Amino acid sequence: GVAGAVLPHPVDDLQRRSFITRTSASGPGSEWSHQIGVALSNQLEHFVFPSTYPEARAGSPTVAQTGTWYHVVGTAAGSGLIFLYVNGTQVSTAAVHNALWAGGDRWTIGIEAGFDNPGEGYFGYRGYFSGLMDDLRIYDRVLSSAEILQLYEAFQPLPLWVGAIDVGAWKWRNWFGYFKDYGNGWIYHAEHGWLFCVGSVQSDIWFWSSSMG
């Protein structure tokens, strides 16, 4: 199994970005499998290339949003099923009809995979993942759904200012705007002034202001 948390940054093209991929000495331009990333539809995806065709893809129905943390886990078993979990919940599965590819002996982080063949619509490595990753884990066994839920519940997203884009003396998050961080819970927001921050993620964060309460 492969587990980790990702925070996509705003980019012109979020399509086809790998978080992690198993490959060989030939590199992910020719051999790859056990891949988790963003598919062409901007959906989170778990991709497995078995020893022979066909490949297996388990895609999330949710479109990945920039500036949002996702805890993503992929598990696979030869001649069985692959699973994709997002934020502790199984969101997709697909059948693997043959043994898993056993040729890989290394992993790449953040490099897109694809055949070096323009006729196939690929042009070598199609780019790098733009964003943050945290708590990446690789297991030599299939994790249970209960174990995956425990991993998600134990994960603590990085603070508000980690992952923000530096713009001069300011920091910027696409859902929050421009602010300055003073490292003690206090931030200065371009529109709202001084705020005291409690929490760290968009879905669970509180601010206190002397003027607004």
Side-chain angles (χ1 to χ4, degrees):
V2 179
V6 295
L7 174 71
H9 275 180
V11 290
D12 293 335
D13 177 14
L14 184 61
Q15 298 180 352
R16 278 294 181 200
R17 295 291 185 259
S18 297
F19 309 143
I20 185 169
T21 304
R22 184 173 175 83
T23 186
S24 67
S26 298
S30 58
E31 292 187 320
W32 74 95
S33 182
H34 301 60
Q35 180 184 44
I36 296 179
V38 179
L40 288 174
S41 55
N42 282 3
Q43 295 169 311
L44 298 169
E45 181 183 77
H46 181 203
F47 170 87
V48 171
F49 197 104
S51 54
T52 57
Y53 283 101
E55 69 270 18
R57 299 176 184 270
S60 167
T62 303
V63 174
Q65 302 295 321
T66 59
T68 299
W69 278 103
Y70 297 94
H71 189 269
V72 186
V73 180
T75 66
S79 300
L81 295 173
I82 67 171
F83 294 91
L84 176 67
Y85 294 79
V86 178
N87 295 340
T89 300
Q90 179 191 319
V91 297
S92 184
T93 186
V96 179
H97 298 288
N98 298 291
L100 296 177
W101 177 55
D105 59 359
R106 66 200 65 190
W107 297 82
T108 58
I109 308 297
I111 301 177
E112 178 51 39
F115 289 120
D116 298 332
N117 182 356
E120 295 287 338
Y122 300 98
F123 297 89
Y125 304 152
R126 283 171 287 172
Y128 296 87
F129 171 68
S130 177
L132 296 179
M133 301 185 200
D134 191 24
D135 198 26
L136 287 178
R137 304 179 183 215
I138 301 171
Y139 295 85
D140 60 359
R141 60 183 179 85
V142 175
L143 298 177
S144 68
S145 57
E147 289 176 310
I148 292 170
L149 180 60
Q150 289 177 345
L151 286 177
Y152 168 63
E153 291 176 340
F155 173 68
Q156 296 295 322
L158 296 173
L160 169 71
W161 51 90
V162 179
I165 297 175
D166 292 322
V167 183
W170 295 83
K171 295 181 181 296
W172 178 84
R173 296 293 297 272
N174 64 327
W175 59 273
F176 188 62
Y178 293 89
F179 64 98
K180 294 181 180 180
D181 165 50
Y182 288 86
N184 56 1
W186 284 99
I187 63 173
Y188 187 83
H189 193 273
E191 296 182 22
H192 304 296
W194 287 103
L195 300 172
F196 188 79
C197 174
V198 178
S200 59
V201 291
Q202 182 179 357
S203 60
D204 185 20
I205 193 167
W206 295 83
F207 297 99
W208 179 87
S209 165
S210 61
S211 61
M212 294 184 289

